[in-house]
C-alpha cells in the first residue's frame, strides 16, 4: 500500500468523526500517512479535531495530523481531497429554508429556491478548491460531499481538469433498504438506479438475474427516509404507477403542497434543528473521555457518509472494480441525457475512476421528464454562479419544477440575493 495524504476541506464539520471512522474501519487496506484538516473556522476545527484524533489514537493509528486554515497547505501533494463545506454555515441554510416560504415555495437545503441559493454560494468556493488542486495536486481525486452535490460535480467535471466524483449518502440508504426484498439464498444481486443527485429512483432489483422489484410494488407505501427529510406516506399503487422506489427527495416533487405546509407549521426549520444538534455534538466532542463518534451524530443526517466516502476511496486506491452509485459525467449511460451531464449513476469503480454502467432501454418518461427539467435548472444555476447573471438565475428558477411562477421566482430571487450579498460578489460587482 502506498502512503496517503488525505486533505479534508471543511474539517470543522460535525460529520468529520463519521468520515474518520471510515478510515479506522479500513486501516488494514488504506495506509493514511497524514490528515490535513482545513477549515476557516479555527475554533470548530480544533474541537472536532480533538475527537477525531482521539478516535485514531484509540484505534492505534498515528498519522501526521495537521490543522490549517490554508487551503494550499492542505491540498498540496494530496492524494485525496474530501470536500464537505457549508458556505455561510447553518445561518445561511436557515435563510434558505425560511425565505422561500414567504412566497409559497419550498424551503430546503438542496432543492428548489433554497438549494439554488446554496449552490450560488458554494460553487465559486468549490471551483476555487479545484483550481488550487490543478496547481498543487493535479493527480489527486476530489471527492465532494458538499451540497448540492450534483451541481458541484457537473461544474467541476466540465469546467476544470480535476478528477472529481460527487458523493451522496442517499444511494447507500436506498440500496440498504432494498436488500430485505431479496429472497434468502440469493447468490447474486444487481439493481437499476436512475437519476440526478437528490432526484433518483431504484427501478430494478435482480435476484440471480430475475427482476423482482416491480412485482413487489403494487400495494407498498412504506419508504424509510433520511433524518434530514420528512416522510410522507405514498398512496397505494403509487410506487407501481411511477415505476420505482424514489429516493427520499422526490417526495418534495410528489407532495409539494404538503411539504410546504409542514415547513410552515414546524416550530423549528430543519436548519434550526441542526443548530441545536450541532451545539450538543460540539459539547460532546469537547469531552476528552469521548473516543468514538456519538449516536447523536446519526440525527444530523449524515448516516452512511463514512461508508460512501471511504469505501469509494478504497475502490479507487485498491482497484476493486466494484459498483458504487456516484455523480459523474453521463458519457451515454443514460441515453436520454447529454454525454456531458453529471448524473447519479451506477459505476464500476477502480484505479482508473468511476465508469458509468449503461442503463440500456428505458422509457419511463415521467422520470426522464423530471430529470431533463432539473438538469436544465442545474446548467442555468452553474452559469449564473460563474457569471453572476441575473437573467440566468431567474431562468433557473423558472424552469425548476418546484417553482415556475414568474412573480414568485423573481420575488424570492431578489430577496435571497440581497440576504446573501456577502457571499455573491459576482452579482453585486
Amino acid at each position: 500500500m502506498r502512503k496517503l495524504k488525505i486533505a479534508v476541506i471543511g474539517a470543522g464539520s460535525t460529520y468529520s468523526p463519521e468520515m474518520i471512522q471510515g478510515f479506522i474501519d479500513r486501516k488494514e487496506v488504506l495506509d493514511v500517512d497524514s490528515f490535513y484538516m482545513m477549515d476557516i473556522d479555527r475554533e470548530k476545527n480544533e474541537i472536532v479535531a480533538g475527537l477525531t484524533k482521539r478516535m485514531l489514537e484509540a484505534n492505534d493509528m498515528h498519522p501526521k495530523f495537521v490543522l490549517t486554515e490554508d487551503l494550499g497547505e492542505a491540498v498540496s501533494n494530496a492524494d485525496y481531497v474530501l470536500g464537505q463545506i457549508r458556505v455561510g454555515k447553518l445561518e445561511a441554510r436557515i435563510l434558505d429554508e425560511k425565505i422561500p416560504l414567504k412566497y409559497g415555495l419550498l424551503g430546503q437545503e438542496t432543492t428548489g429556491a433554497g438549494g439554488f441559493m446554496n449552490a450560488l454560494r458554494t460553487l465559486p468556493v468549490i471551483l476555487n478548491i479545484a483550481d488550487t488542486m490543478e496547481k498543487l495536486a493535479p493527480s489527486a481525486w476530489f471527492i465532494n460531499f458538499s451540497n448540492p452535490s450534483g451541481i458541484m460535480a457537473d461544474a467541476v467535471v466540465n469546467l476544470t481538469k480535476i478528477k472529481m466524483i460527487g458523493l451522496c449518502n442517499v444511494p447507500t440508504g436506498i440500496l440498504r433498504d432494498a436488500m430485505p426484498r431479496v429472497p434468502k439464498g440469493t447468490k447474486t444481486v444487481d439493481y437499476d438506479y436512475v437519476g440526478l443527485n437528490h432526484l433518483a429512483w431504484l427501478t430494478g432489483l435482480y435476484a440471480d438475474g430475475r427482476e423482482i422489484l416491480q412485482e413487489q410494488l403494487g400495494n407498498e407505501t412504506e419508504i424509510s427516509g433520511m433524518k434530514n427529510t420528512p416522510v410522507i406516506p405514498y398512496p397505494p399503487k403509487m410506487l407501481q404507477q411511477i415505476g420505482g422506489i424514489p429516493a427520499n427527495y422526490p417526495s418534495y416533487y410528489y407532495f409539494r403542497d404538503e411539504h410546504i405546509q409542514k415547513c410552515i407549521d414546524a416550530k423549528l426549520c430543519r436548519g434550526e434543528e441542526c443548530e441545536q444538534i450541532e451545539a450538543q455534538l460540539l459539547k460532546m466532542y469537547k469531552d476528552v473521555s469521548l473516543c468514538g463518534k456519538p449516536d447523536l451524530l446519526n440525527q444530523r443526517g449524515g448516516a452512511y457518509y463514512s461508508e460512501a466516502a471511504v469505501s469509494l476511496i478504497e475502490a479507487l486506491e485498491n482497484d476493486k472494480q466494484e459498483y458504487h452509485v456516484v455523480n459523474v459525467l453521463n458519457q451515454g449511460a443514460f441515453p436520454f441525457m447529454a454525454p456531458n451531464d453529471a448524473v447519479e449513476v451506477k459505476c464500476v469503480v477502480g484505479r482508473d475512476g468511476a465508469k458509468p454502467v449503461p442503463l440500456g432501454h428505458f422509457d419511463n418518461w415521467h422520470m426522464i421528464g423530471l430529470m431533463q427539467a432539473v438538469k436544465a435548472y442545474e446548467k442555468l444555476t452553474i452559469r449564473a454562479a460563474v457569471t453572476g447573471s441575473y437573467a440566468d438565475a431567474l431562468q433557473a428558477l423558472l424552469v425548476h419544477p418546484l417553482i415556475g411562477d414568474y412573480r414568485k421566482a423573481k420575488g424570492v430571487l431578489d430577496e435571497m440575493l440581497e440576504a446573501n450579498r456577502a457571499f455573491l460578489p459576482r452579482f453585486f460587482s
Side-chain angles (χ1 to χ4, degrees):
M1 295 186 292
R2 65 171 180 155
K3 295 187 179 298
L4 302 176
K5 175 180 176 178
I6 307 295
V8 183
I9 313 304
S13 166
T14 51
Y15 286 138
S16 287
E18 175 81 22
M19 176 268 298
I20 289 292
Q21 185 62 50
F23 286 104
I24 292 170
D25 293 341
R26 291 168 176 80
K27 66 180 182 179
E28 302 301 326
V29 293
L30 291 173
D31 185 5
V32 180
D33 181 64
S34 60
F35 284 104
Y36 277 69
M37 312 296 277
M38 183 268 167
D39 204 296
I40 59 173
D41 187 329
R42 179 183 297 182
E43 182 181 6
K44 271 188 72 179
N45 202 15
E46 289 176 350
I47 293 170
V48 175
L51 172 59
T52 55
K53 194 171 184 181
R54 291 194 301 272
M55 290 172 63
L56 292 165
E57 291 171 349
N59 288 275
D60 198 28
M61 293 177 68
H62 306 281
K64 183 178 180 181
F65 199 83
V66 178
L67 273 64
T68 181
E69 298 171 54
D70 186 326
L71 177 62
E73 179 185 15
V75 164
S76 181
N77 297 314
D79 297 293
Y80 294 92
V81 177
L82 276 65
Q84 51 180 39
I85 65 173
R86 183 182 295 279
V87 179
K89 303 184 181 179
L90 287 172
E91 293 90 342
R93 173 178 176 171
I94 290 168
L95 293 177
D96 291 346
E97 294 181 25
K98 287 189 169 184
I99 291 175
L101 294 178
K102 299 180 185 180
Y103 300 88
L105 299 172
L106 177 70
Q108 212 282 325
E109 114 176 92
T110 62
T111 192
F116 167 78
M117 193 53 58
N118 187 13
L120 291 194
R121 288 193 305 270
T122 306
L123 186 52
V125 181
I126 290 290
L127 289 175
N128 181 56
I129 294 170
D131 289 343
T132 305
M133 290 176 64
E134 284 191 9
K135 298 180 183 115
L136 302 177
S139 62
W141 279 100
F142 187 10
I143 311 297
N144 179 60
F145 198 68
S146 313
N147 278 321
S149 183
I151 292 178
M152 301 303 119
D154 201 304
V156 172
V157 296
N158 281 298
L159 299 178
T160 80
K161 298 176 183 177
I162 286 300
K163 298 184 298 183
M164 195 263 206
I165 297 176
L167 199 60
C168 182
N169 54 354
V170 169
T172 305
I174 194 172
L175 292 171
R176 276 175 170 262
D177 289 345
M179 287 306 102
R181 297 175 175 275
V182 178
K184 291 182 179 179
T186 299
K187 294 179 180 178
T188 61
V189 178
D190 202 358
Y191 57 89
D192 293 329
Y193 185 99
V194 181
L196 307 176
N197 180 239
H198 289 184
L199 182 69
W201 301 262
L202 187 72
T203 59
L205 189 62
Y206 301 87
D208 293 329
R210 184 174 71 89
E211 207 290 309
I212 62 173
L213 181 65
Q214 294 301 323
E215 66 188 47
Q216 295 179 1
L217 294 184
N219 294 302
E220 296 194 27
T221 62
E222 292 291 327
I223 299 178
S224 65
M226 307 294 283
K227 294 295 183 184
N228 53 338
T229 57
V231 176
I232 292 177
Y234 283 70
K237 302 289 186 182
M238 182 176 172
L239 300 186
Q240 186 181 54
Q241 290 159 354
I242 64 177
I245 298 178
N248 47 326
Y249 285 86
S251 177
Y252 289 120
Y253 297 80
Y254 296 141
F255 308 112
R256 182 186 328 180
D257 293 345
E258 290 175 64
H259 278 291
I260 291 172
Q261 193 59 50
K262 278 180 174 285
C263 291
I264 291 170
D265 293 341
K267 292 181 180 179
L268 298 174
C269 71
R270 178 61 187 169
E272 290 169 325
E273 291 177 348
C274 290
E275 274 192 326
Q276 294 185 352
I277 295 169
E278 189 164 279
Q280 295 176 61
L281 285 170
L282 290 173
K283 184 177 180 181
M284 296 171 75
Y285 291 1
K286 290 178 182 178
D287 181 355
V288 295
S289 67
L290 182 67
C291 296
K293 68 183 184 75
D295 291 339
L296 179 63
L297 184 55
N298 292 331
Q299 295 185 28
R300 186 61 183 82
Y304 315 133
Y305 173 28
S306 65
E307 180 174 338
V310 190
S311 65
L312 177 63
I313 291 174
E314 182 191 356
L316 290 165
E317 185 65 19
N318 295 329
D319 198 26
K320 294 195 72 175
Q321 300 296 315
E322 64 185 12
Y323 288 149
H324 290 255
V325 177
V326 290
N327 289 267
V328 295
L329 283 180
N330 179 37
Q331 300 179 64
F334 298 157
F336 48 87
M337 303 298 289
N340 69 337
D341 287 341
V343 296
E344 194 161 85
V345 61
K346 180 172 72 174
C347 295
V348 177
V349 181
R351 188 166 291 118
D352 292 333
K355 308 298 184 185
V357 177
L359 181 63
H361 178 71
F362 187 77
D363 62 356
N364 187 319
W365 282 94
H366 156 68
M367 297 178 188
I368 293 171
L370 273 176
M371 287 175 63
Q372 290 178 343
V374 172
K375 180 50 68 175
Y377 150 79
E378 291 184 352
K379 294 290 191 182
L380 285 163
T381 299
I382 291 167
R383 211 158 71 185
V386 170
T387 65
S389 166
Y390 183 92
D392 287 335
L394 184 60
Q395 288 178 28
L397 296 182
L398 287 172
V399 80
H400 198 293
L402 292 176
I403 304 170
D405 181 271
Y406 174 80
R407 287 186 173 82
K408 290 182 178 182
K410 188 176 188 310
V412 77
L413 175 60
D414 290 346
E415 183 168 350
M416 294 189 83
L417 285 176
E418 187 59 41
N420 288 271
R421 176 183 282 264
F423 305 105
L424 304 173
R426 293 174 188 177
F427 282 88
F428 295 97
S429 59

